[in-house]
Amino acid sequence: MMPLRGRSEELGKLLEALRAASNGQASLAVVSGEPGIGKSALLAAAVEQAERQGFLVASAAAHQTDNISPLASLAPALRAGAEPLIGTDQFLELASLNTQPLWLAERLADLIGRRLDGVRALIVLDDAQWSDPLTAFVLRVVIARLPGANLLWLLATRPSPGGTTDQLIEAVDVPVHTIPLAPLTADAIQDLAADRLNHPVDPSLAVQLASVQGVPFLAEQLIAGLYLSGNDLSAGLIEGVRRRTGELSEDSRDLVRTAAVFGSEFRLEDVAALMAAPVARLAAPLEEAIQAGLLTDAGSVLRFRHELLRSAALADVPPSAQRALHGAIASQLISAGRGAAAAAPHVLAVAQSGDATAVATLREAAQDLLATMSTTAAEVIREAFDLTRVDDPLRAEVGVDVVSVLLAAWQYDRAKAFADDLLSGTALYHGPITPDLQATIRLHLAPYQWASQRLDAEELTAPRASPHLAERLAAYRALAGQEPPSSVHDPVARALLQVAAAERAQAEGRYVEARDLYAGARRAENGLGSLPTTLVEVGELYCRAEADELSIALERVRELMTVGDSWAGPQLAVLRARLEYAAGNLQNAEEAAHSGLRWMDQLQVSGLTAAADQVLALVALLRGHLTQARKLAGSDPTIAALLAIADGDAKAVSRLAATPHDFPERIAVLLQADALDELSRLSPSAAGRGALAVVAAGNDVEQLAAAVEIVRTAQRPLLLAQAEERYGRAALEAGDRKTGVQALERVLDSLTALGATATAGRIQAVLQAAGVRRRRWAAVPPRAQAGWESLTPMERRVALLVAEGHTNRSAAEELVVSASTVGTHLRAVFGKLGVKSRVQLTRLVLERFAPPPNA
C-alpha cells in the first residue's frame, strides 16, 4: 500500500479512536470532504492499521442507487470477509424484517453485540451520504445500543448539512470524532506524485501538479495521464477522460458513455440491452474500459472508479442524448420487470410538468417502495405531485397519495402541514376541493392523530361527504369525546365506535367489557380510516391483564415486540413494562421501560415518556433508590405521595386514594391507602376482590387469611406480598407468632427473589424485632452512611416534623415518644445530613420535597 501523504494528524485521531475501542469505548468517527479529497485513502489507511492490530474489519461503500434497496449500503459490511459479522441464516432472518425497521435494528444490534463479545472491531462505511434510509436508521439504533463494545464506527461523507451523517452525530450518545479533510499542501501533493512515479517529480510536472489545488484524486489522474493542466480543473479532467477514451474502440467508448447515464453503478446486461448488443460482444470493450482505469468490476455490478470520472464521461454526452437515454433506460427497466422503483431516477431525469405517464410511474414506484423504504417513497411521491399542474384534478389525487405515504413513513407533521396547504386553497392546488377530498384526507390523518392523542373533533368534519366517509368521521368525533351517532352502517365506522366504547369502559374500570370491544374492533374489516391493528391490540391486552389474564397478555405483548408493527414499538414496550411490573418481573419491567424511552427517541415521539418513567420510578422505590425515583417522578402526584411515605411522611398515605385509573398496579396503591370506596368500585377481578377483602378485613386474622387466598389467585406477587404482610403483622399482633412469622417469612423470600430489596428490608426488620433468628438473612443492601437515604424511618419522621416547625416536645407528642428520644434522633439526623441547625435542616427538606411533603 502506498504511503498516506499529508494526513498524519487525521490518521492519528483515528488511531486514538481505535485505541479507545480496544478499551471498550465505542465511538463514531466521521471523515468529511469534497470528492477526490482523499477520504477513501484515509479509510484504507485506518483499515490497514486496524488489521495489523488484530481488529475484525467490516467495510462497505454506499452508492447513489442504494436508496431503492433496504439496507443496501450496510449489508455488504455485514457479510464481508471470511468471518462475517452476520451469518447466512441470520442475514436471511434480517431480510424478513425489512418492513419493520425498529425490530430489524434491534435484532441487528443484538447479533453484532454477540458477535463482537471479546472481539475488537472496525466497521467502515464509505460515501455515507448515499446511505439508504434503512441503513441510516439502523446505524442510529445499533450505535446507541453498543456503547461499551470494542468497536469503532468509521464513516466517510461529502459535506451535506442536515444529511445522514449530521443526523447520526446528533442522535448517538457515544463519543464522536469529526475529521474534516482540507486540500493537501503542495509538498504533500509532490510526495504523493513521487510515490506513484517511483522517482522524484521533475520541475515541469511540479508546475502541472500546482494546478490540482491540493486534490489528491486529480493529482493521481494527472499522473495517470487522464488529467490535463489548466485553469478549469473540471474541464481539464473532462479533457483527460476524453483523451483516454479516444484511445478506446468505438464500442468501448459507447459502453462508457451509456454506462455514465445509468449511474455510478450499473449492470452489464442493462447496458447491453440498451445498446442492442449481445453481452458477449461487450466483453472486450468492457475489458478496455477497465484497463483504461475508468471502470471496475465488482462482481454482480460494474462501477466507475470514481464519481468524478463518471461525471467527466457524462459531460461528453450531449444533453439531448442524455434525455433520450434516460427515457430508454426507464422503459427498458420497466419492460424487463425490474419495477417502477428502479426506473424512477431515470423518469425524474426527463419528466416535465404535466407528464401523466411519468406521474403514474412515480406513483407506482412510491407504492412499491412503501413497505421497505418509506422515506424514499415519500420523496418519490412528492416528486410525482410536483410534476402535476396546480389546476389539474389529478393533483388532488396525487396529493392524497402524498399524505398517505408521509404518514406511512411516520412523518406526521409533514403530512399534516401538506394536507392543510392542499385543502386551504393555497398555491399548492387550484382545483376543486370536494367534500370527499376533505373527508379522505381527514381520514388518512385521523388514525395517527388518535395514536398520538391529537384528535380534534372540530377538524373531523366534511359536510356533504359520501355517507360512508361521513359515518367514519362521526365515529372519530366519538373517539375525540363527542356523543357517538345513534346508528351507522359502514363497517369501518362500527369498528371505530367499538374502540370509542372500549376506551370509555377502560377509563371506568370495566375491563372485561373493554377487552371484548377492543377484540371485536381488531377483527373488523379494514379500510380508509381504520386504526392501526397493533395499537388496538395494545388496549385489548391492557384490559386482559386487568381482567385476570395477565400471563396471557404478557406472553402476547412479548410476541408482538418481534412480529408486530415496529412503529408501535414504544407503546408495546411501555405496555410490556407495566405488565412485567404487575407480574413482579422488576428487571424485565425496567428493561422494557428503557427500551420504550430509547425507541421514542429514535422514532422522535414522546407521548409515553411519563408512563415509562412511572414504571422506572416504581421499580426504584421497591429497590430503595429514592433519589432515582424522585428524578423520574416529574409532576406525578402518586409517585410523589409514595416518595413522601418512603421518607417517613405517614400523612401522605391519604393522598394515594386519588390514584388515576391508568396508574400501574393501581390496586396495590389503593390497598396501601386502605381506599375502601375506590376498591369497591373496581371491576370484579381476583386482584380487585382480594384487595377489597384485605382492606375490609381490618385486623381480623381469619378474614385476612381468606383475603390472601383470593389475592393469590390473581398471580400478582407484589400485590400478594402486600396482602400477606398485613396478614402476618395482624397475626403477630394477635399473639399468633407462628402464623405471623411464617407469613412474613414467605413475604421476605418472595420480595428478595423479585429484587424488591427496600420492601424486603422492612419485612426483615419486623421479623428481627419479633425475635426471629436465621443463620443467614437475605442479601438486603446496607443502609447508606450519609444523606437522606441513610436516615431510619423514625429519623425521617423527626426531620419532617422539625421542618414543619415542631419543637422537640411537640414532635414527641406527635410521635408518642419522649422529648429526649426526639433529641437523640435529631442529633443523628444532623450528623447524617451534615447540617448544624434546624434552619439548615428545614432548608434541606424544602429543597428535597419542593413543595413540602404535607402541602
Side-chain angles (χ1 to χ4, degrees), residues 443 447 468-469 471-476 479 488-500 520-521 524-531:
L443 287 170
H468 70 289
L469 300 178
E471 287 187 353
R472 295 178 193 185
L473 287 173
Y476 267 107
L479 278 166
V488 294
H489 302 285
D490 179 70
V492 172
R494 286 199 297 268
L496 293 170
L497 289 175
Q498 279 184 294
V499 173
E525 175 184 336
N526 278 332
L528 173 64
S530 291
L531 295 173

PDB file of all heavy atoms in Angstrom, residues 443 447 468-469 471-476 479 488-500 520-521 524-531:
ATOM      1  N   LEU A 443     -59.450  11.445   7.036  1.00  0.00           N
ATOM      2  CA  LEU A 443     -59.457  10.046   7.497  1.00  0.00           C
ATOM      3  C   LEU A 443     -58.082   9.404   7.370  1.00  0.00           C
ATOM      4  O   LEU A 443     -57.778   8.447   8.081  1.00  0.00           O
ATOM      5  CB  LEU A 443     -60.496   9.242   6.720  1.00  0.00           C
ATOM      6  CG  LEU A 443     -61.947   9.550   7.111  1.00  0.00           C
ATOM      7  CD1 LEU A 443     -62.922   8.907   6.140  1.00  0.00           C
ATOM      8  CD2 LEU A 443     -62.239   9.080   8.539  1.00  0.00           C
ATOM      9  N   PRO A 447     -56.123   8.298  12.110  1.00  0.00           N
ATOM     10  CA  PRO A 447     -55.525   7.220  12.915  1.00  0.00           C
ATOM     11  C   PRO A 447     -54.230   7.640  13.602  1.00  0.00           C
ATOM     12  O   PRO A 447     -53.963   7.224  14.736  1.00  0.00           O
ATOM     13  CB  PRO A 447     -55.273   6.116  11.872  1.00  0.00           C
ATOM     14  CG  PRO A 447     -56.245   6.387  10.780  1.00  0.00           C
ATOM     15  CD  PRO A 447     -56.355   7.882  10.719  1.00  0.00           C
ATOM     16  N   HIS A 468     -70.561   6.886   3.682  1.00  0.00           N
ATOM     17  CA  HIS A 468     -69.624   6.039   4.432  1.00  0.00           C
ATOM     18  C   HIS A 468     -68.473   6.862   5.007  1.00  0.00           C
ATOM     19  O   HIS A 468     -68.001   6.594   6.121  1.00  0.00           O
ATOM     20  CB  HIS A 468     -69.091   4.902   3.553  1.00  0.00           C
ATOM     21  CG  HIS A 468     -68.162   5.333   2.466  1.00  0.00           C
ATOM     22  ND1 HIS A 468     -68.568   6.044   1.348  1.00  0.00           N
ATOM     23  CD2 HIS A 468     -66.811   5.157   2.306  1.00  0.00           C
ATOM     24  CE1 HIS A 468     -67.544   6.278   0.569  1.00  0.00           C
ATOM     25  NE2 HIS A 468     -66.456   5.760   1.125  1.00  0.00           N
ATOM     26  N   LEU A 469     -68.030   7.904   4.279  1.00  0.00           N
ATOM     27  CA  LEU A 469     -66.974   8.769   4.809  1.00  0.00           C
ATOM     28  C   LEU A 469     -67.494   9.615   5.961  1.00  0.00           C
ATOM     29  O   LEU A 469     -66.790   9.813   6.964  1.00  0.00           O
ATOM     30  CB  LEU A 469     -66.426   9.665   3.696  1.00  0.00           C
ATOM     31  CG  LEU A 469     -65.796   8.951   2.491  1.00  0.00           C
ATOM     32  CD1 LEU A 469     -65.339   9.972   1.457  1.00  0.00           C
ATOM     33  CD2 LEU A 469     -64.633   8.074   2.926  1.00  0.00           C
ATOM     34  N   GLU A 471     -69.849   8.814   8.047  1.00  0.00           N
ATOM     35  CA  GLU A 471     -70.000   7.959   9.227  1.00  0.00           C
ATOM     36  C   GLU A 471     -68.652   7.722   9.913  1.00  0.00           C
ATOM     37  O   GLU A 471     -68.561   7.710  11.147  1.00  0.00           O
ATOM     38  CB  GLU A 471     -70.630   6.628   8.830  1.00  0.00           C
ATOM     39  CG  GLU A 471     -72.123   6.727   8.499  1.00  0.00           C
ATOM     40  CD  GLU A 471     -72.752   5.368   8.286  1.00  0.00           C
ATOM     41  OE1 GLU A 471     -72.017   4.354   8.271  1.00  0.00           O
ATOM     42  OE2 GLU A 471     -73.990   5.307   8.163  1.00  0.00           O
ATOM     43  N   ARG A 472     -67.611   7.563   9.136  1.00  0.00           N
ATOM     44  CA  ARG A 472     -66.289   7.346   9.726  1.00  0.00           C
ATOM     45  C   ARG A 472     -65.810   8.594  10.468  1.00  0.00           C
ATOM     46  O   ARG A 472     -65.227   8.495  11.549  1.00  0.00           O
ATOM     47  CB  ARG A 472     -65.286   6.943   8.633  1.00  0.00           C
ATOM     48  CG  ARG A 472     -65.611   5.603   7.999  1.00  0.00           C
ATOM     49  CD  ARG A 472     -64.654   5.222   6.883  1.00  0.00           C
ATOM     50  NE  ARG A 472     -65.186   4.093   6.116  1.00  0.00           N
ATOM     51  CZ  ARG A 472     -64.549   3.464   5.137  1.00  0.00           C
ATOM     52  NH1 ARG A 472     -63.334   3.867   4.782  1.00  0.00           N
ATOM     53  NH2 ARG A 472     -65.103   2.456   4.497  1.00  0.00           N
ATOM     54  N   LEU A 473     -66.050   9.753   9.890  1.00  0.00           N
ATOM     55  CA  LEU A 473     -65.678  10.985  10.580  1.00  0.00           C
ATOM     56  C   LEU A 473     -66.472  11.148  11.865  1.00  0.00           C
ATOM     57  O   LEU A 473     -65.930  11.583  12.893  1.00  0.00           O
ATOM     58  CB  LEU A 473     -65.899  12.189   9.658  1.00  0.00           C
ATOM     59  CG  LEU A 473     -64.893  12.347   8.510  1.00  0.00           C
ATOM     60  CD1 LEU A 473     -65.328  13.460   7.573  1.00  0.00           C
ATOM     61  CD2 LEU A 473     -63.488  12.623   9.041  1.00  0.00           C
ATOM     62  N   ALA A 474     -67.766  10.810  11.831  1.00  0.00           N
ATOM     63  CA  ALA A 474     -68.582  10.894  13.044  1.00  0.00           C
ATOM     64  C   ALA A 474     -68.053   9.947  14.117  1.00  0.00           C
ATOM     65  O   ALA A 474     -68.056  10.270  15.318  1.00  0.00           O
ATOM     66  CB  ALA A 474     -70.041  10.563  12.705  1.00  0.00           C
ATOM     67  N   ALA A 475     -67.600   8.757  13.692  1.00  0.00           N
ATOM     68  CA  ALA A 475     -67.033   7.803  14.655  1.00  0.00           C
ATOM     69  C   ALA A 475     -65.751   8.361  15.275  1.00  0.00           C
ATOM     70  O   ALA A 475     -65.500   8.185  16.474  1.00  0.00           O
ATOM     71  CB  ALA A 475     -66.755   6.472  13.957  1.00  0.00           C
ATOM     72  N   TYR A 476     -64.942   9.058  14.485  1.00  0.00           N
ATOM     73  CA  TYR A 476     -63.735   9.665  15.046  1.00  0.00           C
ATOM     74  C   TYR A 476     -64.078  10.795  16.012  1.00  0.00           C
ATOM     75  O   TYR A 476     -63.375  11.003  17.012  1.00  0.00           O
ATOM     76  CB  TYR A 476     -62.817  10.172  13.934  1.00  0.00           C
ATOM     77  CG  TYR A 476     -61.783   9.151  13.537  1.00  0.00           C
ATOM     78  CD1 TYR A 476     -61.880   8.469  12.333  1.00  0.00           C
ATOM     79  CD2 TYR A 476     -60.725   8.839  14.383  1.00  0.00           C
ATOM     80  CE1 TYR A 476     -60.932   7.518  11.972  1.00  0.00           C
ATOM     81  CE2 TYR A 476     -59.773   7.891  14.041  1.00  0.00           C
ATOM     82  CZ  TYR A 476     -59.881   7.225  12.834  1.00  0.00           C
ATOM     83  OH  TYR A 476     -58.946   6.277  12.499  1.00  0.00           O
ATOM     84  N   LEU A 479     -64.518   9.203  19.155  1.00  0.00           N
ATOM     85  CA  LEU A 479     -63.223   8.898  19.771  1.00  0.00           C
ATOM     86  C   LEU A 479     -62.598  10.136  20.395  1.00  0.00           C
ATOM     87  O   LEU A 479     -61.840  10.046  21.358  1.00  0.00           O
ATOM     88  CB  LEU A 479     -62.262   8.331  18.714  1.00  0.00           C
ATOM     89  CG  LEU A 479     -62.394   6.839  18.397  1.00  0.00           C
ATOM     90  CD1 LEU A 479     -61.639   6.495  17.121  1.00  0.00           C
ATOM     91  CD2 LEU A 479     -61.887   5.998  19.555  1.00  0.00           C
ATOM     92  N   VAL A 488     -74.892   3.440  12.647  1.00  0.00           N
ATOM     93  CA  VAL A 488     -74.017   3.539  11.478  1.00  0.00           C
ATOM     94  C   VAL A 488     -74.115   2.235  10.704  1.00  0.00           C
ATOM     95  O   VAL A 488     -74.432   1.173  11.271  1.00  0.00           O
ATOM     96  CB  VAL A 488     -72.541   3.794  11.867  1.00  0.00           C
ATOM     97  CG1 VAL A 488     -72.368   5.140  12.519  1.00  0.00           C
ATOM     98  CG2 VAL A 488     -72.013   2.688  12.769  1.00  0.00           C
ATOM     99  N   HIS A 489     -73.833   2.310   9.423  1.00  0.00           N
ATOM    100  CA  HIS A 489     -73.906   1.120   8.573  1.00  0.00           C
ATOM    101  C   HIS A 489     -72.525   0.713   8.056  1.00  0.00           C
ATOM    102  O   HIS A 489     -72.315  -0.453   7.722  1.00  0.00           O
ATOM    103  CB  HIS A 489     -74.838   1.381   7.381  1.00  0.00           C
ATOM    104  CG  HIS A 489     -76.218   1.778   7.799  1.00  0.00           C
ATOM    105  ND1 HIS A 489     -77.134   0.875   8.292  1.00  0.00           N
ATOM    106  CD2 HIS A 489     -76.828   2.992   7.805  1.00  0.00           C
ATOM    107  CE1 HIS A 489     -78.266   1.514   8.583  1.00  0.00           C
ATOM    108  NE2 HIS A 489     -78.111   2.793   8.298  1.00  0.00           N
ATOM    109  N   ASP A 490     -71.598   1.648   8.028  1.00  0.00           N
ATOM    110  CA  ASP A 490     -70.271   1.376   7.488  1.00  0.00           C
ATOM    111  C   ASP A 490     -69.455   0.521   8.462  1.00  0.00           C
ATOM    112  O   ASP A 490     -69.372   0.840   9.658  1.00  0.00           O
ATOM    113  CB  ASP A 490     -69.538   2.698   7.236  1.00  0.00           C
ATOM    114  CG  ASP A 490     -68.139   2.473   6.707  1.00  0.00           C
ATOM    115  OD1 ASP A 490     -68.005   2.040   5.557  1.00  0.00           O
ATOM    116  OD2 ASP A 490     -67.183   2.708   7.471  1.00  0.00           O
ATOM    117  N   PRO A 491     -68.853  -0.595   7.991  1.00  0.00           N
ATOM    118  CA  PRO A 491     -68.116  -1.485   8.913  1.00  0.00           C
ATOM    119  C   PRO A 491     -66.915  -0.816   9.575  1.00  0.00           C
ATOM    120  O   PRO A 491     -66.616  -1.096  10.741  1.00  0.00           O
ATOM    121  CB  PRO A 491     -67.694  -2.656   8.020  1.00  0.00           C
ATOM    122  CG  PRO A 491     -67.791  -2.143   6.619  1.00  0.00           C
ATOM    123  CD  PRO A 491     -68.876  -1.130   6.616  1.00  0.00           C
ATOM    124  N   VAL A 492     -66.207   0.043   8.857  1.00  0.00           N
ATOM    125  CA  VAL A 492     -65.060   0.728   9.467  1.00  0.00           C
ATOM    126  C   VAL A 492     -65.540   1.660  10.571  1.00  0.00           C
ATOM    127  O   VAL A 492     -64.954   1.724  11.662  1.00  0.00           O
ATOM    128  CB  VAL A 492     -64.257   1.504   8.407  1.00  0.00           C
ATOM    129  CG1 VAL A 492     -63.183   2.358   9.074  1.00  0.00           C
ATOM    130  CG2 VAL A 492     -63.621   0.544   7.407  1.00  0.00           C
ATOM    131  N   ALA A 493     -66.636   2.377  10.326  1.00  0.00           N
ATOM    132  CA  ALA A 493     -67.193   3.272  11.345  1.00  0.00           C
ATOM    133  C   ALA A 493     -67.633   2.483  12.571  1.00  0.00           C
ATOM    134  O   ALA A 493     -67.436   2.925  13.706  1.00  0.00           O
ATOM    135  CB  ALA A 493     -68.355   4.070  10.769  1.00  0.00           C
ATOM    136  N   ARG A 494     -68.245   1.313  12.360  1.00  0.00           N
ATOM    137  CA  ARG A 494     -68.677   0.493  13.502  1.00  0.00           C
ATOM    138  C   ARG A 494     -67.478   0.068  14.348  1.00  0.00           C
ATOM    139  O   ARG A 494     -67.544   0.070  15.583  1.00  0.00           O
ATOM    140  CB  ARG A 494     -69.449  -0.736  13.010  1.00  0.00           C
ATOM    141  CG  ARG A 494     -70.861  -0.426  12.521  1.00  0.00           C
ATOM    142  CD  ARG A 494     -71.724  -1.685  12.503  1.00  0.00           C
ATOM    143  NE  ARG A 494     -71.210  -2.674  11.575  1.00  0.00           N
ATOM    144  CZ  ARG A 494     -71.570  -2.783  10.303  1.00  0.00           C
ATOM    145  NH1 ARG A 494     -72.456  -1.931   9.803  1.00  0.00           N
ATOM    146  NH2 ARG A 494     -71.068  -3.727   9.531  1.00  0.00           N
ATOM    147  N   ALA A 495     -66.364  -0.307  13.681  1.00  0.00           N
ATOM    148  CA  ALA A 495     -65.164  -0.701  14.431  1.00  0.00           C
ATOM    149  C   ALA A 495     -64.612   0.474  15.234  1.00  0.00           C
ATOM    150  O   ALA A 495     -64.183   0.314  16.386  1.00  0.00           O
ATOM    151  CB  ALA A 495     -64.108  -1.235  13.463  1.00  0.00           C
ATOM    152  N   LEU A 496     -64.635   1.665  14.646  1.00  0.00           N
ATOM    153  CA  LEU A 496     -64.159   2.850  15.360  1.00  0.00           C
ATOM    154  C   LEU A 496     -65.014   3.128  16.587  1.00  0.00           C
ATOM    155  O   LEU A 496     -64.502   3.481  17.658  1.00  0.00           O
ATOM    156  CB  LEU A 496     -64.169   4.059  14.427  1.00  0.00           C
ATOM    157  CG  LEU A 496     -63.172   4.023  13.262  1.00  0.00           C
ATOM    158  CD1 LEU A 496     -63.454   5.166  12.288  1.00  0.00           C
ATOM    159  CD2 LEU A 496     -61.746   4.103  13.762  1.00  0.00           C
ATOM    160  N   LEU A 497     -66.317   2.956  16.444  1.00  0.00           N
ATOM    161  CA  LEU A 497     -67.211   3.177  17.585  1.00  0.00           C
ATOM    162  C   LEU A 497     -66.987   2.122  18.668  1.00  0.00           C
ATOM    163  O   LEU A 497     -67.146   2.416  19.862  1.00  0.00           O
ATOM    164  CB  LEU A 497     -68.663   3.170  17.120  1.00  0.00           C
ATOM    165  CG  LEU A 497     -69.078   4.395  16.285  1.00  0.00           C
ATOM    166  CD1 LEU A 497     -70.502   4.232  15.783  1.00  0.00           C
ATOM    167  CD2 LEU A 497     -68.961   5.675  17.113  1.00  0.00           C
ATOM    168  N   GLN A 498     -66.622   0.911  18.266  1.00  0.00           N
ATOM    169  CA  GLN A 498     -66.294  -0.112  19.264  1.00  0.00           C
ATOM    170  C   GLN A 498     -65.073   0.307  20.079  1.00  0.00           C
ATOM    171  O   GLN A 498     -65.032   0.119  21.302  1.00  0.00           O
ATOM    172  CB  GLN A 498     -66.014  -1.452  18.574  1.00  0.00           C
ATOM    173  CG  GLN A 498     -67.264  -2.231  18.191  1.00  0.00           C
ATOM    174  CD  GLN A 498     -66.909  -3.588  17.614  1.00  0.00           C
ATOM    175  OE1 GLN A 498     -66.310  -3.689  16.552  1.00  0.00           O
ATOM    176  NE2 GLN A 498     -67.274  -4.642  18.320  1.00  0.00           N
ATOM    177  N   VAL A 499     -64.074   0.886  19.411  1.00  0.00           N
ATOM    178  CA  VAL A 499     -62.887   1.352  20.129  1.00  0.00           C
ATOM    179  C   VAL A 499     -63.254   2.504  21.062  1.00  0.00           C
ATOM    180  O   VAL A 499     -62.772   2.573  22.206  1.00  0.00           O
ATOM    181  CB  VAL A 499     -61.782   1.771  19.143  1.00  0.00           C
ATOM    182  CG1 VAL A 499     -60.617   2.420  19.878  1.00  0.00           C
ATOM    183  CG2 VAL A 499     -61.291   0.571  18.349  1.00  0.00           C
ATOM    184  N   ALA A 500     -64.114   3.406  20.585  1.00  0.00           N
ATOM    185  CA  ALA A 500     -64.545   4.515  21.440  1.00  0.00           C
ATOM    186  C   ALA A 500     -65.246   3.988  22.684  1.00  0.00           C
ATOM    187  O   ALA A 500     -65.005   4.458  23.810  1.00  0.00           O
ATOM    188  CB  ALA A 500     -65.465   5.451  20.661  1.00  0.00           C
ATOM    189  N   GLY A 520     -63.244  -7.147  19.284  1.00  0.00           N
ATOM    190  CA  GLY A 520     -64.169  -7.072  18.162  1.00  0.00           C
ATOM    191  C   GLY A 520     -63.723  -6.060  17.126  1.00  0.00           C
ATOM    192  O   GLY A 520     -63.786  -6.315  15.917  1.00  0.00           O
ATOM    193  N   ALA A 521     -63.245  -4.908  17.577  1.00  0.00           N
ATOM    194  CA  ALA A 521     -62.775  -3.877  16.651  1.00  0.00           C
ATOM    195  C   ALA A 521     -61.550  -4.352  15.881  1.00  0.00           C
ATOM    196  O   ALA A 521     -61.391  -4.055  14.689  1.00  0.00           O
ATOM    197  CB  ALA A 521     -62.451  -2.598  17.420  1.00  0.00           C
ATOM    198  N   ALA A 524     -62.385  -6.485  12.837  1.00  0.00           N
ATOM    199  CA  ALA A 524     -63.275  -5.890  11.837  1.00  0.00           C
ATOM    200  C   ALA A 524     -62.545  -5.653  10.522  1.00  0.00           C
ATOM    201  O   ALA A 524     -61.314  -5.661  10.447  1.00  0.00           O
ATOM    202  CB  ALA A 524     -63.845  -4.578  12.366  1.00  0.00           C
ATOM    203  N   GLU A 525     -63.338  -5.405   9.489  1.00  0.00           N
ATOM    204  CA  GLU A 525     -62.809  -5.116   8.161  1.00  0.00           C
ATOM    205  C   GLU A 525     -62.010  -3.819   8.169  1.00  0.00           C
ATOM    206  O   GLU A 525     -62.413  -2.834   8.779  1.00  0.00           O
ATOM    207  CB  GLU A 525     -63.989  -5.008   7.184  1.00  0.00           C
ATOM    208  CG  GLU A 525     -63.621  -4.595   5.781  1.00  0.00           C
ATOM    209  CD  GLU A 525     -64.855  -4.413   4.909  1.00  0.00           C
ATOM    210  OE1 GLU A 525     -65.897  -5.025   5.228  1.00  0.00           O
ATOM    211  OE2 GLU A 525     -64.785  -3.649   3.938  1.00  0.00           O
ATOM    212  N   ASN A 526     -60.867  -3.822   7.475  1.00  0.00           N
ATOM    213  CA  ASN A 526     -60.023  -2.631   7.400  1.00  0.00           C
ATOM    214  C   ASN A 526     -60.367  -1.793   6.172  1.00  0.00           C
ATOM    215  O   ASN A 526     -60.844  -2.314   5.161  1.00  0.00           O
ATOM    216  CB  ASN A 526     -58.542  -3.006   7.344  1.00  0.00           C
ATOM    217  CG  ASN A 526     -57.982  -3.289   8.723  1.00  0.00           C
ATOM    218  OD1 ASN A 526     -58.461  -2.747   9.712  1.00  0.00           O
ATOM    219  ND2 ASN A 526     -56.973  -4.137   8.795  1.00  0.00           N
ATOM    220  N   GLY A 527     -60.119  -0.514   6.268  1.00  0.00           N
ATOM    221  CA  GLY A 527     -60.352   0.396   5.158  1.00  0.00           C
ATOM    222  C   GLY A 527     -59.822   1.764   5.506  1.00  0.00           C
ATOM    223  O   GLY A 527     -59.156   1.949   6.541  1.00  0.00           O
ATOM    224  N   LEU A 528     -60.090   2.737   4.654  1.00  0.00           N
ATOM    225  CA  LEU A 528     -59.652   4.100   4.909  1.00  0.00           C
ATOM    226  C   LEU A 528     -60.143   4.567   6.282  1.00  0.00           C
ATOM    227  O   LEU A 528     -61.325   4.515   6.570  1.00  0.00           O
ATOM    228  CB  LEU A 528     -60.203   5.032   3.822  1.00  0.00           C
ATOM    229  CG  LEU A 528     -59.962   6.526   4.032  1.00  0.00           C
ATOM    230  CD1 LEU A 528     -58.474   6.846   3.995  1.00  0.00           C
ATOM    231  CD2 LEU A 528     -60.716   7.338   2.976  1.00  0.00           C
ATOM    232  N   GLY A 529     -59.219   4.996   7.133  1.00  0.00           N
ATOM    233  CA  GLY A 529     -59.580   5.471   8.461  1.00  0.00           C
ATOM    234  C   GLY A 529     -59.475   4.417   9.555  1.00  0.00           C
ATOM    235  O   GLY A 529     -59.643   4.743  10.736  1.00  0.00           O
ATOM    236  N   SER A 530     -59.200   3.158   9.186  1.00  0.00           N
ATOM    237  CA  SER A 530     -59.069   2.118  10.223  1.00  0.00           C
ATOM    238  C   SER A 530     -57.887   2.422  11.132  1.00  0.00           C
ATOM    239  O   SER A 530     -56.858   2.942  10.695  1.00  0.00           O
ATOM    240  CB  SER A 530     -58.874   0.739   9.573  1.00  0.00           C
ATOM    241  OG  SER A 530     -60.035   0.322   8.916  1.00  0.00           O
ATOM    242  N   LEU A 531     -58.042   2.073  12.392  1.00  0.00           N
ATOM    243  CA  LEU A 531     -56.968   2.281  13.364  1.00  0.00           C
ATOM    244  C   LEU A 531     -55.894   1.213  13.207  1.00  0.00           C
ATOM    245  O   LEU A 531     -56.190   0.090  12.773  1.00  0.00           O
ATOM    246  CB  LEU A 531     -57.533   2.237  14.785  1.00  0.00           C
ATOM    247  CG  LEU A 531     -58.517   3.349  15.140  1.00  0.00           C
ATOM    248  CD1 LEU A 531     -59.122   3.100  16.511  1.00  0.00           C
ATOM    249  CD2 LEU A 531     -57.830   4.709  15.114  1.00  0.00           C
TER     250      LEU A 531
END
